[in-house]
Amino acid sequence: MGSFLVNLFLFLSLFQISVSARRLEETEQFRLLKYHNGPLLSGKITVNLIWYGKFKPSQRAIVSDFITSLSHSPANTHQPSVATWWKTTEKYYKLASGDKKNPSPRPSLSMSLGKQILDEGYSLGKSLSEKQILKLAYRGDQHDAVNVVLTANDVAVQGFCMSKCGTHGSAPGRSLKGKRSSKFAYIWVGDSATQCPGQCAWPFHAPVYGPQNPPLVSPNNDVGIDGVIINLASLLAGAATNPFGNGYFQGPQTAPLEAATACPGVYGKGAYPGYAGNLLVDSETGGSFNAYGANGRKFMLPALYDPTTSVCSTLV
């Protein structure tokens, strides 16, 4: 559930004929993201990071700052910000709150950075199955949490680079004081720097297929980790609005299009195949980005489908 299909492949298959003549919101696909009446991720949720393999401290700091940025006060951050991007997900919660004549309590979500667990010794080896990813996810807390497994660039994962750059799913929590905990959500994202950056780190690397425009400079000078941020952002949005497979999605439940994956390859206005859209550029580093974050960070984030307007919403 919640497989994140490679942005590039989706992008090319959806728009292989038209380049810019049709707006994304004019296609039937983007009017069909439906709510399936299931619960959304709600409450105060901690995001625990499980680092599998060797990551540099600077790489861990980039991801940690991104998670912190989700709830960072916009008043303390340049705009457009990561927190502003995340606010689009609140529209899903508003629509799920019930009929105006008979409203139910509106669910809400607050995310914060939780524990960080390091496994630099590759305790499960360097070739992981989906079951082993879940085993790693269980190392984090299973109550009011999303556990994010990040695999280093020398770790192979089942399906990685072939059909996905990451996944999100859910699992029953272990029993707590004699009672079984409710389900918890988990995410896996792989660092694609040495395995498939053209698939999972575009637009910071030349794509494997399609238009061969020059790659953009990554905002944090790390193609693999900046690609991780893009995929993690997409999966967090999917986990929030479709945590258990019966929230907001379109298509088959086993391979759904969700809040971010319904807008593949779109990062700024004017995007078309091979072009990520009109973006901001750091005058000092030349890095392309569309969101400011905590601690002076800059990030590239995917467009999110706006359920109130049926369009792909971009920050810039």
Side-chain angles (χ1 to χ4, degrees):
M1 187 273 289
S3 293
F4 179 64
L5 301 179
V6 177
N7 279 346
L8 176 64
F9 294 158
L10 280 172
F11 196 38
L12 294 176
S13 66
L14 288 171
F15 302 105
Q16 58 185 336
I17 297 176
S18 171
V19 173
S20 58
R22 295 174 65 190
R23 295 182 303 165
L24 292 176
E25 60 266 31
E26 292 173 343
T27 65
E28 181 180 3
Q29 173 178 341
F30 296 110
R31 295 197 297 267
L32 295 177
L33 201 66
K34 296 180 180 179
Y35 179 46
H36 295 77
N37 301 315
L40 308 185
L41 203 63
S42 62
K44 295 182 178 180
I45 302 295
T46 56
V47 180
N48 301 305
L49 303 179
I50 299 147
W51 300 91
Y52 187 81
K54 294 181 180 179
F55 289 88
K56 298 176 183 177
S58 59
Q59 294 177 317
R60 297 199 297 269
I62 293 169
V63 177
S64 299
D65 284 344
F66 168 67
I67 299 300
T68 300
S69 299
L70 293 172
S71 58
H72 199 62
S73 173
N76 299 326
T77 310
H78 293 297
Q79 294 295 325
S81 69
V82 174
T84 300
W85 171 82
W86 186 246
K87 277 188 173 295
T88 298
T89 62
E90 293 179 2
K91 297 181 180 182
Y92 289 82
Y93 289 77
K94 183 178 181 180
L95 291 176
S97 63
D99 188 278
K100 291 183 179 180
K101 295 181 180 179
N102 184 27
S104 58
R106 181 183 300 178
S108 62
L109 173 65
S110 174
M111 284 191 168
S112 61
L113 182 63
K115 297 178 181 178
Q116 299 200 46
I117 301 168
L118 306 184
D119 185 341
E120 296 181 309
Y122 304 88
S123 63
L124 301 179
K126 291 190 176 183
S127 181
L128 303 180
S129 65
E130 292 180 357
K131 288 184 178 180
Q132 288 173 311
I133 291 295
L134 178 56
K135 184 176 181 180
L136 290 171
Y138 268 111
R139 293 183 180 180
D141 294 334
Q142 292 134 50
H143 182 68
D144 293 333
V146 174
N147 294 332
V148 178
V149 178
L150 300 125
T151 50
N153 59 21
D154 58 349
V155 177
V157 177
Q158 183 180 351
F160 187 34
C161 297
M162 292 183 287
S163 62
K164 57 192 176 186
C165 303
T167 57
H168 80 81
S170 63
R174 293 196 178 99
S175 59
L176 183 64
K177 293 183 179 179
K179 297 182 179 180
R180 178 164 290 279
S181 175
S182 59
K183 288 183 178 180
F184 73 97
Y186 69 92
I187 290 171
W188 157 71
V189 184
D191 182 341
S192 65
T194 60
Q195 297 184 58
C196 55
Q199 292 167 283
C200 295
W202 184 85
F204 304 128
H205 190 280
V208 178
Y209 304 106
Q212 297 294 306
N213 292 328
L216 303 177
V217 177
S218 65
N220 294 289
N221 196 33
D222 191 315
V223 169
I225 294 298
D226 279 314
V228 164
I229 294 296
I230 289 174
N231 298 322
L232 176 56
S234 295
L235 291 162
L236 275 172
T241 57
N242 186 33
F244 309 121
N246 54 4
Y248 285 93
F249 69 90
Q250 181 219 341
Q253 190 177 35
T254 54
L257 288 179
E258 300 173 326
T261 53
C263 302
V266 181
Y267 300 94
K269 289 180 174 60
Y272 57 81
Y275 177 62
N278 300 321
L279 302 167
L280 302 174
V281 178
D282 189 307
S283 59
E284 295 184 3
T285 67
S288 293
F289 68 101
N290 59 10
Y292 292 92
N295 297 320
R297 293 285 185 192
K298 299 177 178 67
F299 300 104
M300 180 82 90
L301 304 178
L304 292 179
Y305 175 87
D306 186 328
T308 64
T309 61
S310 300
V311 302
C312 291
S313 177
T314 60
L315 286 170
V316 294

mmCIF file of all heavy atoms in Angstrom, residues 63-104:
data_model
loop_
_atom_site.group_PDB
_atom_site.id
_atom_site.type_symbol
_atom_site.label_atom_id
_atom_site.label_comp_id
_atom_site.label_asym_id
_atom_site.label_seq_id
_atom_site.Cartn_x
_atom_site.Cartn_y
_atom_site.Cartn_z
ATOM 1 N N VAL A 63 17.912 16.281 6.491
ATOM 2 C CA VAL A 63 16.607 15.630 6.650
ATOM 3 C C VAL A 63 15.946 16.072 7.953
ATOM 4 O O VAL A 63 14.736 16.345 7.990
ATOM 5 C CB VAL A 63 16.753 14.097 6.601
ATOM 6 C CG1 VAL A 63 15.404 13.426 6.830
ATOM 7 C CG2 VAL A 63 17.324 13.665 5.249
ATOM 8 N N SER A 64 16.716 16.152 9.024
ATOM 9 C CA SER A 64 16.164 16.589 10.308
ATOM 10 C C SER A 64 15.593 17.999 10.212
ATOM 11 O O SER A 64 14.506 18.286 10.732
ATOM 12 C CB SER A 64 17.245 16.545 11.396
ATOM 13 O OG SER A 64 17.751 15.247 11.584
ATOM 14 N N ASP A 65 16.305 18.881 9.533
ATOM 15 C CA ASP A 65 15.831 20.257 9.374
ATOM 16 C C ASP A 65 14.555 20.296 8.539
ATOM 17 O O ASP A 65 13.677 21.144 8.777
ATOM 18 C CB ASP A 65 16.910 21.123 8.724
ATOM 19 C CG ASP A 65 18.031 21.494 9.684
ATOM 20 O OD1 ASP A 65 17.839 21.348 10.905
ATOM 21 O OD2 ASP A 65 19.102 21.919 9.211
ATOM 22 N N PHE A 66 14.431 19.398 7.576
ATOM 23 C CA PHE A 66 13.198 19.356 6.784
ATOM 24 C C PHE A 66 12.008 18.987 7.660
ATOM 25 O O PHE A 66 10.953 19.633 7.597
ATOM 26 C CB PHE A 66 13.325 18.364 5.630
ATOM 27 C CG PHE A 66 12.003 18.063 4.972
ATOM 28 C CD1 PHE A 66 11.338 19.050 4.271
ATOM 29 C CD2 PHE A 66 11.416 16.810 5.089
ATOM 30 C CE1 PHE A 66 10.094 18.799 3.686
ATOM 31 C CE2 PHE A 66 10.191 16.550 4.509
ATOM 32 C CZ PHE A 66 9.529 17.544 3.809
ATOM 33 N N ILE A 67 12.162 17.959 8.493
ATOM 34 C CA ILE A 67 11.055 17.560 9.371
ATOM 35 C C ILE A 67 10.702 18.695 10.330
ATOM 36 O O ILE A 67 9.519 19.006 10.542
ATOM 37 C CB ILE A 67 11.419 16.290 10.170
ATOM 38 C CG1 ILE A 67 11.705 15.120 9.221
ATOM 39 C CG2 ILE A 67 10.307 15.935 11.143
ATOM 40 C CD1 ILE A 67 10.555 14.734 8.335
ATOM 41 N N THR A 68 11.706 19.330 10.888
ATOM 42 C CA THR A 68 11.470 20.461 11.784
ATOM 43 C C THR A 68 10.746 21.592 11.059
ATOM 44 O O THR A 68 9.893 22.279 11.644
ATOM 45 C CB THR A 68 12.801 20.978 12.352
ATOM 46 O OG1 THR A 68 13.449 19.931 13.088
ATOM 47 C CG2 THR A 68 12.585 22.178 13.275
ATOM 48 N N SER A 69 11.045 21.761 9.789
ATOM 49 C CA SER A 69 10.466 22.847 9.001
ATOM 50 C C SER A 69 8.968 22.692 8.777
ATOM 51 O O SER A 69 8.277 23.678 8.497
ATOM 52 C CB SER A 69 11.165 22.945 7.638
ATOM 53 O OG SER A 69 12.536 23.216 7.783
ATOM 54 N N LEU A 70 8.445 21.483 8.890
ATOM 55 C CA LEU A 70 7.016 21.260 8.652
ATOM 56 C C LEU A 70 6.146 22.075 9.597
ATOM 57 O O LEU A 70 5.058 22.526 9.228
ATOM 58 C CB LEU A 70 6.678 19.773 8.800
ATOM 59 C CG LEU A 70 7.271 18.824 7.768
ATOM 60 C CD1 LEU A 70 7.011 17.369 8.174
ATOM 61 C CD2 LEU A 70 6.696 19.088 6.378
ATOM 62 N N SER A 71 6.629 22.253 10.812
ATOM 63 C CA SER A 71 5.854 22.997 11.807
ATOM 64 C C SER A 71 6.551 24.284 12.225
ATOM 65 O O SER A 71 6.147 24.924 13.193
ATOM 66 C CB SER A 71 5.614 22.123 13.047
ATOM 67 O OG SER A 71 6.848 21.696 13.614
ATOM 68 N N HIS A 72 7.585 24.661 11.506
ATOM 69 C CA HIS A 72 8.333 25.875 11.843
ATOM 70 C C HIS A 72 7.443 27.087 11.614
ATOM 71 O O HIS A 72 6.753 27.178 10.600
ATOM 72 C CB HIS A 72 9.589 25.970 10.968
ATOM 73 C CG HIS A 72 10.638 26.882 11.513
ATOM 74 N ND1 HIS A 72 11.265 26.670 12.720
ATOM 75 C CD2 HIS A 72 11.179 28.017 11.011
ATOM 76 C CE1 HIS A 72 12.153 27.630 12.928
ATOM 77 N NE2 HIS A 72 12.110 28.460 11.906
ATOM 78 N N SER A 73 7.435 28.004 12.548
ATOM 79 C CA SER A 73 6.566 29.173 12.444
ATOM 80 C C SER A 73 6.877 29.977 11.185
ATOM 81 O O SER A 73 8.010 30.414 10.987
ATOM 82 C CB SER A 73 6.752 30.078 13.662
ATOM 83 O OG SER A 73 6.047 31.289 13.492
ATOM 84 N N PRO A 74 5.877 30.170 10.322
ATOM 85 C CA PRO A 74 6.108 30.962 9.106
ATOM 86 C C PRO A 74 6.631 32.356 9.404
ATOM 87 O O PRO A 74 7.330 32.952 8.600
ATOM 88 C CB PRO A 74 4.701 31.016 8.470
ATOM 89 C CG PRO A 74 3.995 29.818 8.999
ATOM 90 C CD PRO A 74 4.508 29.659 10.405
ATOM 91 N N ALA A 75 6.298 32.885 10.581
ATOM 92 C CA ALA A 75 6.751 34.230 10.942
ATOM 93 C C ALA A 75 8.266 34.293 11.083
ATOM 94 O O ALA A 75 8.865 35.360 10.951
ATOM 95 C CB ALA A 75 6.089 34.667 12.247
ATOM 96 N N ASN A 76 8.884 33.136 11.360
ATOM 97 C CA ASN A 76 10.329 33.096 11.546
ATOM 98 C C ASN A 76 11.075 32.579 10.317
ATOM 99 O O ASN A 76 12.260 32.307 10.375
ATOM 100 C CB ASN A 76 10.665 32.206 12.751
ATOM 101 C CG ASN A 76 10.058 32.738 14.032
ATOM 102 O OD1 ASN A 76 9.947 33.936 14.211
ATOM 103 N ND2 ASN A 76 9.652 31.834 14.916
ATOM 104 N N THR A 77 10.352 32.426 9.211
ATOM 105 C CA THR A 77 10.941 31.838 8.021
ATOM 106 C C THR A 77 10.614 32.673 6.797
ATOM 107 O O THR A 77 9.524 33.224 6.679
ATOM 108 C CB THR A 77 10.398 30.405 7.805
ATOM 109 O OG1 THR A 77 10.508 29.673 9.021
ATOM 110 C CG2 THR A 77 11.164 29.690 6.708
ATOM 111 N N HIS A 78 11.574 32.766 5.892
ATOM 112 C CA HIS A 78 11.298 33.416 4.615
ATOM 113 C C HIS A 78 10.194 32.646 3.897
ATOM 114 O O HIS A 78 10.007 31.448 4.082
ATOM 115 C CB HIS A 78 12.556 33.443 3.746
ATOM 116 C CG HIS A 78 13.650 34.319 4.292
ATOM 117 N ND1 HIS A 78 13.510 35.677 4.437
ATOM 118 C CD2 HIS A 78 14.905 34.031 4.703
ATOM 119 C CE1 HIS A 78 14.626 36.194 4.926
ATOM 120 N NE2 HIS A 78 15.491 35.208 5.113
ATOM 121 N N GLN A 79 9.479 33.361 3.043
ATOM 122 C CA GLN A 79 8.438 32.734 2.252
ATOM 123 C C GLN A 79 8.866 32.619 0.789
ATOM 124 O O GLN A 79 9.603 33.458 0.306
ATOM 125 C CB GLN A 79 7.140 33.541 2.351
ATOM 126 C CG GLN A 79 6.524 33.535 3.742
ATOM 127 C CD GLN A 79 6.073 32.153 4.176
ATOM 128 O OE1 GLN A 79 5.607 31.366 3.363
ATOM 129 N NE2 GLN A 79 6.220 31.860 5.454
ATOM 130 N N PRO A 80 8.398 31.580 0.115
ATOM 131 C CA PRO A 80 7.506 30.501 0.561
ATOM 132 C C PRO A 80 8.261 29.503 1.445
ATOM 133 O O PRO A 80 9.447 29.268 1.247
ATOM 134 C CB PRO A 80 7.064 29.846 -0.750
ATOM 135 C CG PRO A 80 8.212 30.085 -1.687
ATOM 136 C CD PRO A 80 8.754 31.440 -1.317
ATOM 137 N N SER A 81 7.552 28.921 2.401
ATOM 138 C CA SER A 81 8.207 28.055 3.367
ATOM 139 C C SER A 81 7.687 26.626 3.292
ATOM 140 O O SER A 81 6.637 26.350 2.711
ATOM 141 C CB SER A 81 7.969 28.582 4.791
ATOM 142 O OG SER A 81 6.603 28.425 5.162
ATOM 143 N N VAL A 82 8.434 25.723 3.910
ATOM 144 C CA VAL A 82 8.009 24.322 4.009
ATOM 145 C C VAL A 82 6.685 24.245 4.761
ATOM 146 O O VAL A 82 5.785 23.488 4.388
ATOM 147 C CB VAL A 82 9.075 23.472 4.722
ATOM 148 C CG1 VAL A 82 8.580 22.049 4.950
ATOM 149 C CG2 VAL A 82 10.370 23.451 3.914
ATOM 150 N N ALA A 83 6.550 25.042 5.826
ATOM 151 C CA ALA A 83 5.314 25.028 6.614
ATOM 152 C C ALA A 83 4.121 25.468 5.780
ATOM 153 O O ALA A 83 3.018 24.927 5.918
ATOM 154 C CB ALA A 83 5.471 25.928 7.840
ATOM 155 N N THR A 84 4.315 26.444 4.898
ATOM 156 C CA THR A 84 3.238 26.884 4.010
ATOM 157 C C THR A 84 2.861 25.767 3.048
ATOM 158 O O THR A 84 1.680 25.534 2.774
ATOM 159 C CB THR A 84 3.666 28.139 3.234
ATOM 160 O OG1 THR A 84 3.958 29.184 4.164
ATOM 161 C CG2 THR A 84 2.569 28.596 2.284
ATOM 162 N N TRP A 85 3.860 25.079 2.517
ATOM 163 C CA TRP A 85 3.601 23.923 1.633
ATOM 164 C C TRP A 85 2.773 22.871 2.366
ATOM 165 O O TRP A 85 1.789 22.353 1.832
ATOM 166 C CB TRP A 85 4.942 23.339 1.195
ATOM 167 C CG TRP A 85 4.855 22.034 0.458
ATOM 168 C CD1 TRP A 85 4.584 21.854 -0.874
ATOM 169 C CD2 TRP A 85 5.046 20.723 1.005
ATOM 170 N NE1 TRP A 85 4.588 20.509 -1.188
ATOM 171 C CE2 TRP A 85 4.872 19.799 -0.042
ATOM 172 C CE3 TRP A 85 5.351 20.240 2.279
ATOM 173 C CZ2 TRP A 85 4.993 18.413 0.147
ATOM 174 C CZ3 TRP A 85 5.468 18.874 2.472
ATOM 175 C CH2 TRP A 85 5.287 17.977 1.410
ATOM 176 N N TRP A 86 3.133 22.581 3.595
ATOM 177 C CA TRP A 86 2.448 21.534 4.364
ATOM 178 C C TRP A 86 1.008 21.919 4.681
ATOM 179 O O TRP A 86 0.140 21.049 4.833
ATOM 180 C CB TRP A 86 3.234 21.247 5.640
ATOM 181 C CG TRP A 86 2.708 20.101 6.433
ATOM 182 C CD1 TRP A 86 2.131 20.147 7.685
ATOM 183 C CD2 TRP A 86 2.697 18.715 6.067
ATOM 184 N NE1 TRP A 86 1.776 18.886 8.097
ATOM 185 C CE2 TRP A 86 2.113 17.988 7.122
ATOM 186 C CE3 TRP A 86 3.141 18.020 4.936
ATOM 187 C CZ2 TRP A 86 1.940 16.607 7.088
ATOM 188 C CZ3 TRP A 86 2.979 16.641 4.891
ATOM 189 C CH2 TRP A 86 2.383 15.950 5.957
ATOM 190 N N LYS A 87 0.715 23.211 4.750
ATOM 191 C CA LYS A 87 -0.635 23.656 5.081
ATOM 192 C C LYS A 87 -1.662 23.216 4.043
ATOM 193 O O LYS A 87 -2.859 23.145 4.352
ATOM 194 C CB LYS A 87 -0.670 25.181 5.257
ATOM 195 C CG LYS A 87 -0.239 25.646 6.643
ATOM 196 C CD LYS A 87 -0.472 27.129 6.819
ATOM 197 C CE LYS A 87 -0.204 27.548 8.263
ATOM 198 N NZ LYS A 87 -1.155 26.925 9.190
ATOM 199 N N THR A 88 -1.220 22.905 2.837
ATOM 200 C CA THR A 88 -2.161 22.417 1.826
ATOM 201 C C THR A 88 -2.837 21.138 2.290
ATOM 202 O O THR A 88 -4.003 20.888 1.971
ATOM 203 C CB THR A 88 -1.442 22.191 0.481
ATOM 204 O OG1 THR A 88 -0.917 23.434 0.007
ATOM 205 C CG2 THR A 88 -2.401 21.629 -0.572
ATOM 206 N N THR A 89 -2.124 20.321 3.078
ATOM 207 C CA THR A 89 -2.733 19.073 3.553
ATOM 208 C C THR A 89 -3.902 19.347 4.504
ATOM 209 O O THR A 89 -4.787 18.499 4.654
ATOM 210 C CB THR A 89 -1.699 18.189 4.276
ATOM 211 O OG1 THR A 89 -1.199 18.863 5.442
ATOM 212 C CG2 THR A 89 -0.536 17.846 3.356
ATOM 213 N N GLU A 90 -3.939 20.516 5.141
ATOM 214 C CA GLU A 90 -5.032 20.835 6.049
ATOM 215 C C GLU A 90 -6.370 20.874 5.325
ATOM 216 O O GLU A 90 -7.430 20.656 5.935
ATOM 217 C CB GLU A 90 -4.768 22.172 6.741
ATOM 218 C CG GLU A 90 -3.574 22.149 7.691
ATOM 219 C CD GLU A 90 -3.328 23.493 8.353
ATOM 220 O OE1 GLU A 90 -4.117 24.442 8.095
ATOM 221 O OE2 GLU A 90 -2.356 23.609 9.128
ATOM 222 N N LYS A 91 -6.346 21.147 4.031
ATOM 223 C CA LYS A 91 -7.589 21.203 3.269
ATOM 224 C C LYS A 91 -8.235 19.824 3.182
ATOM 225 O O LYS A 91 -9.459 19.718 3.124
ATOM 226 C CB LYS A 91 -7.316 21.758 1.876
ATOM 227 C CG LYS A 91 -6.801 23.195 1.903
ATOM 228 C CD LYS A 91 -6.554 23.732 0.506
ATOM 229 C CE LYS A 91 -6.045 25.170 0.569
ATOM 230 N NZ LYS A 91 -5.832 25.756 -0.767
ATOM 231 N N TYR A 92 -7.427 18.783 3.183
ATOM 232 C CA TYR A 92 -7.968 17.425 3.193
ATOM 233 C C TYR A 92 -8.709 17.160 4.503
ATOM 234 O O TYR A 92 -9.763 16.521 4.525
ATOM 235 C CB TYR A 92 -6.839 16.405 3.031
ATOM 236 C CG TYR A 92 -6.220 16.380 1.656
ATOM 237 C CD1 TYR A 92 -5.243 17.304 1.287
ATOM 238 C CD2 TYR A 92 -6.590 15.413 0.722
ATOM 239 C CE1 TYR A 92 -4.661 17.275 0.034
ATOM 240 C CE2 TYR A 92 -6.008 15.366 -0.538
ATOM 241 C CZ TYR A 92 -5.048 16.305 -0.875
ATOM 242 O OH TYR A 92 -4.476 16.271 -2.116
ATOM 243 N N TYR A 93 -8.158 17.653 5.585
ATOM 244 C CA TYR A 93 -8.770 17.449 6.903
ATOM 245 C C TYR A 93 -10.088 18.206 7.006
ATOM 246 O O TYR A 93 -11.066 17.715 7.585
ATOM 247 C CB TYR A 93 -7.801 17.884 8.002
ATOM 248 C CG TYR A 93 -6.634 16.951 8.156
ATOM 249 C CD1 TYR A 93 -5.573 16.971 7.259
ATOM 250 C CD2 TYR A 93 -6.597 16.028 9.190
ATOM 251 C CE1 TYR A 93 -4.513 16.097 7.378
ATOM 252 C CE2 TYR A 93 -5.535 15.144 9.327
ATOM 253 C CZ TYR A 93 -4.501 15.180 8.411
ATOM 254 O OH TYR A 93 -3.448 14.300 8.530
ATOM 255 N N LYS A 94 -10.123 19.402 6.427
ATOM 256 C CA LYS A 94 -11.350 20.190 6.456
ATOM 257 C C LYS A 94 -12.458 19.480 5.694
ATOM 258 O O LYS A 94 -13.603 19.412 6.166
ATOM 259 C CB LYS A 94 -11.089 21.569 5.865
ATOM 260 C CG LYS A 94 -12.289 22.497 5.910
ATOM 261 C CD LYS A 94 -11.940 23.866 5.361
ATOM 262 C CE LYS A 94 -13.135 24.801 5.418
ATOM 263 N NZ LYS A 94 -12.803 26.155 4.890
ATOM 264 N N LEU A 95 -12.148 18.931 4.534
ATOM 265 C CA LEU A 95 -13.149 18.241 3.733
ATOM 266 C C LEU A 95 -13.600 16.944 4.395
ATOM 267 O O LEU A 95 -14.729 16.497 4.194
ATOM 268 C CB LEU A 95 -12.590 17.939 2.334
ATOM 269 C CG LEU A 95 -12.364 19.155 1.432
ATOM 270 C CD1 LEU A 95 -11.711 18.711 0.126
ATOM 271 C CD2 LEU A 95 -13.667 19.881 1.157
ATOM 272 N N ALA A 96 -12.728 16.337 5.181
ATOM 273 C CA ALA A 96 -13.069 15.068 5.835
ATOM 274 C C ALA A 96 -13.818 15.253 7.148
ATOM 275 O O ALA A 96 -14.190 14.280 7.801
ATOM 276 C CB ALA A 96 -11.797 14.259 6.094
ATOM 277 N N SER A 97 -14.067 16.499 7.529
ATOM 278 C CA SER A 97 -14.631 16.765 8.855
ATOM 279 C C SER A 97 -16.136 16.560 8.935
ATOM 280 O O SER A 97 -16.713 16.677 10.006
ATOM 281 C CB SER A 97 -14.297 18.197 9.288
ATOM 282 O OG SER A 97 -14.889 19.135 8.400
ATOM 283 N N GLY A 98 -16.775 16.249 7.817
ATOM 284 C CA GLY A 98 -18.197 15.933 7.862
ATOM 285 C C GLY A 98 -19.071 16.963 7.195
ATOM 286 O O GLY A 98 -18.623 18.048 6.803
ATOM 287 N N ASP A 99 -20.320 16.630 7.060
ATOM 288 C CA ASP A 99 -21.316 17.490 6.442
ATOM 289 C C ASP A 99 -21.563 18.711 7.331
ATOM 290 O O ASP A 99 -21.562 18.617 8.552
ATOM 291 C CB ASP A 99 -22.617 16.716 6.259
ATOM 292 C CG ASP A 99 -23.632 17.491 5.443
ATOM 293 O OD1 ASP A 99 -24.315 18.347 6.031
ATOM 294 O OD2 ASP A 99 -23.746 17.216 4.231
ATOM 295 N N LYS A 100 -21.817 19.857 6.701
ATOM 296 C CA LYS A 100 -22.038 21.090 7.470
ATOM 297 C C LYS A 100 -23.252 20.976 8.388
ATOM 298 O O LYS A 100 -23.304 21.581 9.453
ATOM 299 C CB LYS A 100 -22.202 22.267 6.516
ATOM 300 C CG LYS A 100 -20.926 22.652 5.775
ATOM 301 C CD LYS A 100 -21.151 23.866 4.897
ATOM 302 C CE LYS A 100 -19.856 24.259 4.166
ATOM 303 N NZ LYS A 100 -20.057 25.436 3.300
ATOM 304 N N LYS A 101 -24.273 20.210 7.950
ATOM 305 C CA LYS A 101 -25.471 20.079 8.761
ATOM 306 C C LYS A 101 -25.256 19.137 9.942
ATOM 307 O O LYS A 101 -25.974 19.192 10.926
ATOM 308 C CB LYS A 101 -26.624 19.564 7.892
ATOM 309 C CG LYS A 101 -27.043 20.538 6.786
ATOM 310 C CD LYS A 101 -28.193 19.963 5.985
ATOM 311 C CE LYS A 101 -28.618 20.923 4.875
ATOM 312 N NZ LYS A 101 -29.734 20.368 4.065
ATOM 313 N N ASN A 102 -24.297 18.268 9.789
ATOM 314 C CA ASN A 102 -24.037 17.305 10.863
ATOM 315 C C ASN A 102 -22.525 17.114 10.988
ATOM 316 O O ASN A 102 -21.994 16.054 10.696
ATOM 317 C CB ASN A 102 -24.724 15.967 10.563
ATOM 318 C CG ASN A 102 -24.557 14.981 11.717
ATOM 319 O OD1 ASN A 102 -24.406 15.379 12.864
ATOM 320 N ND2 ASN A 102 -24.584 13.698 11.394
ATOM 321 N N PRO A 103 -21.836 18.180 11.384
ATOM 322 C CA PRO A 103 -20.369 18.122 11.385
ATOM 323 C C PRO A 103 -19.810 17.199 12.456
ATOM 324 O O PRO A 103 -20.352 17.090 13.547
ATOM 325 C CB PRO A 103 -19.967 19.573 11.657
ATOM 326 C CG PRO A 103 -21.120 20.129 12.442
ATOM 327 C CD PRO A 103 -22.354 19.458 11.876
ATOM 328 N N SER A 104 -18.747 16.518 12.111
ATOM 329 C CA SER A 104 -18.022 15.722 13.093
ATOM 330 C C SER A 104 -16.779 16.497 13.489
ATOM 331 O O SER A 104 -16.378 17.430 12.797
ATOM 332 C CB SER A 104 -17.621 14.368 12.476
ATOM 333 O OG SER A 104 -16.828 14.565 11.318
#
